[in-house]
Amino acid sequence: LLFDAHQMSAEVDLLGSIESEEAPSCRCDYALYTYKLTQSSPQPESLLPTEASLDNISLSLDLLHSCLSVELELQFRENLASFLPKASVYSNDGKISTMEMSAYHGPAMYYYQLIQSTRLDDHNDSDIKRAPPAANYVICLICSCKQGLELFRLELEGFCEQLKPMIQANPPTKDSIVSSQLESLLQGWYFNNVQYLSRCVERCYPVLAELLYVAVKGNAKITGTDKQLMADIERFIESSTLSSLMQFPEPGTDNNEETVIEVTPSGCTFSHFEHSKFFSDWAQVLLSQGATSTDPFFLKQAIENFKLKIIQDINAFKRILQRAETDYYQLYKYVLCPMWYSTIMIVIKNRLTKRLYQLFYTPL
């Protein structure tokens, strides 16, 4: 069996799929609506929500707060009301869609999520009809980008989850004023949930390789006085980590020494870092637009490709080690190969997956 490095490099050659053209300035807006469900005809008590029962439900939207102009807001609300699937009232998941908006001079993408005081999917249609009016809301986050907003779905879902208890604790109405805290968060949705990547790359470009290493290694502690940069670095690491797919070791174990990131006005220092060409190469991908001209959508796509490359390497290495369980020559041939030193050896050393650790350290 010949060494299959060429096959793997062809499989994970992702750099060509990223466009590095500088994106134009992005316009970002928001709108907060209350919505009401009205059932036009009664349904049998035992009938579960179906396509037929949904046809008897009408949806109305009332504006609570928005930074859109009156004309643009009416255009957006009309589009949202006609597009919003009735079935989505039974789901708390956020959704992303596009529409043409005159003031945006082209297509716009928007993320919307429904916030309900009670879960409608736990009740039948008759329960919906008998229930008293509830405060149900739609959060809409609008961006003048043509594509890429879906890459930040997790950030936007977390943002809406942050707003949910605030809205439920002090429900805004048409006759009341939205709290200043809620308004401030809505105004900064793009700054905090999308642009953090641009700020982090612009301010930490000399140590991007170290940040990517920490994201893969895990177990980092961020200290310093620059609160904004600390928050941006924390979100950058969260965006680049594979913790949701891998089993990280407990903090403080010998195999995973804690990395302390000291944030200062002049930059960042790391208490522990293992130099690797792999992380340096991907840092250069993130900097391919230049350290002062960074498109967050390009950066997010590059980070997703970075994580995909690691997953593919881990899966390939896992298959190799499984074959090596019955062929010790393959174990010698592949495990000692320098191509694995860049990422897989770091993964193995820090025991990111229990299975790989068991395969690697099981005595022959």
Side-chain angles (χ1 to χ4, degrees):
L1 179 65
L2 297 177
F3 184 69
D4 52 0
H6 296 292
Q7 177 184 354
M8 287 196 54
S9 53
E11 178 185 5
V12 296
D13 183 14
L14 305 170
L15 305 187
S17 64
I18 309 175
E19 298 181 359
S20 58
E21 297 179 359
E22 182 177 353
S25 58
C26 188
R27 171 173 175 172
C28 305
D29 297 299
Y30 66 88
L32 177 63
Y33 297 97
T34 181
Y35 72 91
K36 297 178 182 179
L37 298 176
T38 304
Q39 191 173 22
S40 58
S41 61
Q43 297 293 325
E45 292 289 331
S46 60
L47 185 64
L48 295 176
T50 63
E51 193 69 29
S53 63
L54 287 174
D55 289 339
N56 296 318
I57 297 178
S58 61
L59 177 68
S60 62
L61 293 170
D62 293 314
L63 177 66
L64 294 178
H65 189 64
S66 176
C67 64
L68 294 168
S69 64
V70 175
E71 180 181 358
L72 194 58
E73 188 278 320
L74 288 174
Q75 179 186 356
F76 176 76
R77 193 193 327 182
E78 180 181 359
N79 179 278
L80 181 65
S82 62
F83 174 82
L84 193 64
K86 296 175 183 177
S88 65
V89 301
Y90 293 96
S91 172
N92 288 329
D93 298 330
K95 295 177 175 60
I96 293 177
S97 185
T98 59
M99 65 172 292
E100 293 287 337
M101 298 185 71
S102 56
Y104 283 43
H105 304 291
M109 298 191 73
Y110 62 93
Y111 172 91
Y112 66 92
Q113 182 166 334
L114 307 176
I115 296 181
Q116 303 168 335
S117 56
T118 58
R119 288 185 56 85
L120 297 181
D121 52 359
D122 293 336
H123 303 81
N124 56 36
D125 292 339
S126 59
D127 292 332
I128 298 176
K129 185 178 180 181
R130 292 195 302 264
N136 299 313
Y137 304 92
V138 186
I139 299 175
C140 300
L141 309 175
I142 313 162
C143 181
S144 63
C145 58
K146 296 181 180 179
Q147 59 183 356
L149 191 61
E150 68 279 356
L151 295 171
F152 292 89
R153 182 183 294 272
L154 289 179
E155 286 89 341
L156 299 180
E157 287 179 354
F159 174 70
C160 290
E161 286 298 318
Q162 179 186 1
L163 298 182
K164 184 182 296 186
M166 192 178 306
I167 292 176
Q168 292 175 340
N170 186 20
T173 65
K174 295 177 61 176
D175 300 325
S176 65
I177 300 177
V178 173
S179 68
S180 57
Q181 183 182 8
L182 178 59
E183 181 179 8
S184 176
L185 289 173
L186 287 171
Q187 289 176 346
W189 77 265
Y190 188 80
F191 178 88
N192 293 316
N193 298 282
V194 176
Q195 286 186 318
Y196 72 91
L197 283 178
S198 300
R199 292 193 301 272
C200 190
V201 171
E202 289 171 1
R203 297 193 59 182
C204 301
Y205 66 91
V207 292
L208 279 181
E210 286 89 334
L211 287 178
L212 293 174
Y213 165 80
V214 170
V216 173
K217 176 180 177 291
N219 195 17
K221 179 181 179 181
I222 305 175
T223 63
T225 57
D226 192 328
K227 301 300 183 183
Q228 183 61 63
L229 183 56
M230 290 172 61
D232 291 340
I233 290 176
E234 182 177 3
R235 302 209 69 177
F236 180 93
I237 293 176
E238 290 177 356
S239 178
S240 307
T241 189
L242 295 169
S243 59
S244 60
L245 302 175
M246 298 180 179
Q247 180 67 38
F248 279 84
E250 293 296 328
T253 59
D254 294 338
N255 287 352
N256 193 21
E257 178 184 354
E258 181 182 66
T259 301
V260 178
I261 305 175
E262 181 66 29
V263 179
T264 63
S266 59
C268 304
T269 58
F270 295 76
S271 64
H272 175 70
F273 171 67
E274 295 182 17
H275 292 278
S276 167
K277 185 177 183 300
F278 175 82
F279 296 108
S280 299
D281 289 345
W282 278 97
Q284 290 304 312
V285 173
L286 295 178
L287 292 173
S288 61
Q289 289 187 307
T292 59
S293 179
T294 50
D295 173 14
F297 303 108
F298 166 81
L299 295 175
K300 186 67 170 179
Q301 183 63 67
I303 289 174
E304 293 302 314
N305 291 351
F306 163 78
K307 294 192 292 185
L308 178 60
K309 173 65 168 66
I310 294 178
I311 292 172
Q312 290 176 337
D313 279 358
I314 290 174
N315 289 337
F317 192 60
K318 184 177 180 180
R319 291 192 296 268
I320 290 169
L321 288 182
Q322 287 174 341
R323 292 197 299 266
E325 289 181 303
T326 55
D327 187 342
Y328 295 155
Y329 174 70
Q330 294 298 323
L331 178 64
Y332 172 81
K333 180 179 178 180
Y334 286 102
V335 172
L336 298 184
C337 181
M339 75 164 291
W340 300 111
Y341 291 172
S342 59
T343 54
I344 301 303
M345 297 310 294
I346 293 176
V347 171
I348 294 296
K349 180 178 179 181
N350 294 291
R351 294 186 294 178
L352 300 186
T353 59
K354 292 181 178 179
R355 177 60 176 159
L356 288 180
Y357 173 76
Q358 292 169 353
L359 287 173
F360 190 76
Y361 285 104
T362 300
L364 300 179

